[in-house]
Amino acid sequence: MTTFENLKSQWENQSELKTPENGSKIIIEKVAFLKRKQRITNIVLSVTAAILLGFFFYITAYNNTKAAMALLLMFSVLLIRIIVEQLSIKKLHRLDVTIDNTTFKQKIVNYYKSRINTHYIITPILIILYVTGFMILMPYFKQGLSTGFYTYIQVSGFVALFVLVFFIGKQIAKEIKMLKGLSS
């Protein structure tokens, strides 16, 4: 029982955590930054999806089942990612920064865990599916384009993928760091 009494005494003698004077302002700024970043992501994804949809009709992909499936796969991946980001934005909007520290911390930790799942599970799967759609289209590009332009699409496609994955990774690291700061 003395161990329990010691633990109880230590618990009761803990100093109370004090919220910094501008703590709520910092939290509000960080949450606003996350919302803005997610909106920008959705705009970029929406423009890309619109371009894919336009390309689908421009090359009359609906006349070729395999090309249509590849483009629809790529379009679907973008649409899924947009939906995931919209749901995340809604979840972020529901965070009430005026609630007590303990409750807010728990809610931000839950949000953080959902973003971890998004970044480390959903995003890689969607990138793989998008690249799969692009790879399915490659024979059609080779067939319908000049050798030089086909080579350009191959090289630029993979360079763009590498750059995109690099920047996505950098943004994920930045968001995770910010969320860790909010939840600690």
Side-chain angles (χ1 to χ4, degrees), residues 25-170:
K25 182 181 177 187
I26 292 169
I27 289 171
I28 291 169
E29 288 172 0
K30 287 182 177 185
V31 169
F33 172 78
L34 288 173
K35 287 177 186 176
R36 192 169 47 255
K37 184 188 116 358
Q38 288 174 328
R39 281 190 198 108
I40 291 169
T41 299
N42 273 351
I43 290 169
V44 170
L45 291 171
S46 297
V47 168
T48 306
I51 290 169
L52 272 177
L53 197 58
F55 185 69
F56 177 83
F57 289 107
Y58 177 74
I59 67 165
T60 59
Y62 45 82
N63 290 334
N64 184 318
T65 306
K66 207 170 185 182
M69 294 302 286
L71 282 168
L72 288 174
L73 174 64
M74 294 169 73
F75 180 78
S76 298
V77 163
L78 292 172
L79 193 61
I80 289 168
R81 182 61 189 200
I82 290 168
I83 291 168
V84 166
E85 286 300 314
Q86 275 304 120
L87 293 173
S88 183
I89 289 170
K90 283 183 181 181
K91 197 174 198 179
L92 196 57
H93 275 294
R94 287 192 300 255
L95 285 178
D96 183 6
V97 293
T98 62
I99 58 178
D100 65 277
N101 267 349
T102 308
T103 307
F104 180 78
K105 184 176 180 176
Q106 186 55 48
K107 289 186 181 225
I108 201 74
V109 165
N110 290 340
Y111 178 77
Y112 169 74
K113 286 178 182 176
S114 74
R115 291 303 289 174
I116 292 283
N117 287 336
T118 298
H119 292 318
Y120 292 119
I121 297 171
I122 297 171
T123 299
I125 290 170
L126 293 178
I127 288 173
I128 290 168
L129 289 172
Y130 190 86
V131 169
T132 300
F134 182 75
M135 296 302 293
I136 292 170
L137 285 175
M138 291 308 287
Y140 299 103
F141 290 150
K142 187 174 187 174
Q143 180 183 10
L145 302 171
S146 68
T147 305
F149 196 57
Y150 173 70
T151 303
Y152 168 76
I153 286 178
Q154 278 183 312
V155 172
S156 65
F158 288 107
V159 168
L161 176 66
F162 176 75
V163 169
L164 181 68
V165 167
F166 174 76
F167 281 115
I168 287 172
K170 202 171 175 180

